[in-house]
Amino acid sequence: MNDLAALEAVLFVTEHPVPERELAEVLEVPKTRVAELLEELSTTLAERESGLVLRQVAGGWRLYSHPDAYPYLERFAESATSRKLSSAAMETLAVVAYRQPVSRSQIAEIRGVDSDSSVRTLERLGFIEERERLNLPGNPAVYATSDLFLEKLGLNDISELPPLADHVPPAGFVDTLEESLRPGLD
C-alpha cells in the first residue's frame, strides 16, 4: 500500500484528530513527507469532488463530510434515531465553554437552576471534563471543555469561540425588558 492510501485509511478510521507527528510515526515517514501527503490528499479529494474534506482541528488532522453534503446529512439525521442535547445541556455547555474552568455551583448560579444532571450528561458524552479539584470544603470539581468539544465545533483552540458580547443584548435593553415584566404596583 502506498503512503497516501495508508494516510487516508488512518484518517478514515480515527475518532479524533491525529497530530502530524503521530501520522509520521504510524506511516514511518518524516513529518515533512506527512505534510506533503496531507496536501496531496486534500487536493485529490477536491479534484474528485469527494463528499469528504480534510481539515486541521484541535491540533491534528481528520476527514469530515463536505459542507455541500449538509442537506443530505440533515435528511439522513432526521430519518435515523439521533440523540440531541437538551436545551439545559446546551446552556450548561455554553457556560462551561465561556467561563471555564468552572464548578457545578458556579454553573448553577449563572443558570439559576441546578445543573448537576446536565454536567453529568456532558461529562459522559465527553464534551466537558474535570480539570481539577478546588482546595475548599467538599473539594468541588472544576470543569472545562474537552478536545472533543473543540473537534465538534471545528476549532483549534477555545479562543476561537465567537465573542460572547456579540450575543448579549445591551444592559439598557435588559433593564427595560425586566421592567416591562415586573408586576405593576397598585
Side-chain angles (χ1 to χ4, degrees), residues 35-129:
E36 292 169 2
L37 291 168
L38 289 165
E39 180 63 33
E40 186 178 346
L41 178 57
S42 181
T43 301
T44 300
L45 293 171
E47 286 174 353
R48 71 173 193 203
E49 298 181 9
S50 174
L52 302 174
V53 293
L54 180 64
R55 291 187 48 209
Q56 183 179 24
V57 294
W61 293 87
R62 186 161 179 219
L63 292 171
Y64 288 90
S65 301
H66 193 288
D68 292 345
Y70 177 77
Y72 306 102
L73 297 173
E74 188 175 52
R75 283 195 297 271
F76 176 73
E78 289 173 2
S79 69
T81 305
S82 65
R83 180 168 181 178
K84 296 183 181 185
L85 290 178
S86 67
S87 57
M90 290 294 287
E91 286 176 17
T92 302
L93 185 56
V95 169
V96 174
Y98 282 97
R99 296 295 299 260
Q100 62 186 306
V102 62
S103 68
R104 287 178 192 238
S105 63
Q106 291 169 318
I107 295 167
E109 185 177 325
I110 291 167
R111 289 193 61 233
V113 295
D114 179 73
S115 301
D116 286 351
S117 176
S118 294
V119 169
R120 282 192 302 274
T121 297
L122 293 169
E123 192 173 21
R124 187 180 73 252
L125 294 173
F127 293 125
I128 65 172
E129 57 195 17

